[in-house]
Amino acid sequence: MKPLSTFQKSSSVVLIFWGLMMTFSQTKKHPLERAEELQKTEQKTVVVFVHTDWCNYCQAMQNATFKDEEVQKILNENFYFVDINGEEKAEIYFAGTVFKYQPTGINTGHHQLADSLGNIDGQLSYPTLVILNPKNEIVLQYTGFLTAAEILKLLKKINDD
C-alpha cells in the first residue's frame, strides 16, 4: 500500500471538514411523536411544515427557505421542527390519537394528521406552516410559500411572544 501524497491528505481533510460542516448546518427535524416527548423535558414551540413530494412550492421551501443558515439557526435553537408529508402512509401517534392515511381515490389521498393540522376553512393546501404551542394547540396556520426573510420575521415574532 502506497502512502498518501500531500495532495491526497489535504483533499481528505477538506472532504472531512466539508462533511462535518454539512452535518452541522442542517435543520434538526423531529418526528411529531418525538417532539411531543421532548416537550416533557424542555417546552418549546413546535413548527410543523406540511408538504407533499409533488408540490413545487413545498420543494422550493425545502431547498431554499429551510436551507437558509439564519432560519436553521433559529429553528434549531428555539423550536422543535417537524416535517410532515401530507401523503404519508404510516400511522402517526400524536396527542393520544392514532392518525392514518385516508385514501380519497385511486392512488390519491392524504394523511389525517396533515388534514387535522393544516386544514384552514375546510381546505388542506400545500405548503402549510403550523405553529403549535407546548400544549400542542394550534396558534398559527399559514398556507403558501414563505421566503427565508418572511419565515424569520414570523419565527422571531413568535419567539418574542
Side-chain angles (χ1 to χ4, degrees), residues 21 28 36 93 105 134 140 144 149 152:
M21 291 302 292
K28 292 181 213 164
E36 188 175 27
Y93 182 79
L140 181 122
L152 279 170

Side-chain angles (χ1 to χ4, degrees), residues 129-147:
L129 192 73
V130 182
I131 308 296
L132 304 174
N133 68 17
K135 296 176 185 174
N136 294 323
E137 299 165 332
I138 297 173
V139 294
L140 181 122
Q141 294 170 301
Y142 182 88
T143 296
F145 178 84
L146 287 165
T147 65

Side-chain angles (χ1 to χ4, degrees), residues 24-55:
F24 291 119
S25 66
Q26 294 180 357
T27 305
K28 292 181 213 164
K29 294 179 186 176
H30 302 279
L32 197 52
E33 301 96 326
R34 177 76 177 130
E36 188 175 27
E37 186 180 306
L38 289 169
Q39 292 288 22
K40 295 174 185 170
T41 56
E42 184 179 6
Q43 292 200 339
K44 291 184 179 182
T45 300
V46 179
V47 176
V48 182
F49 178 58
V50 183
H51 63 89
T52 65
D53 294 335
W54 52 262
C55 167

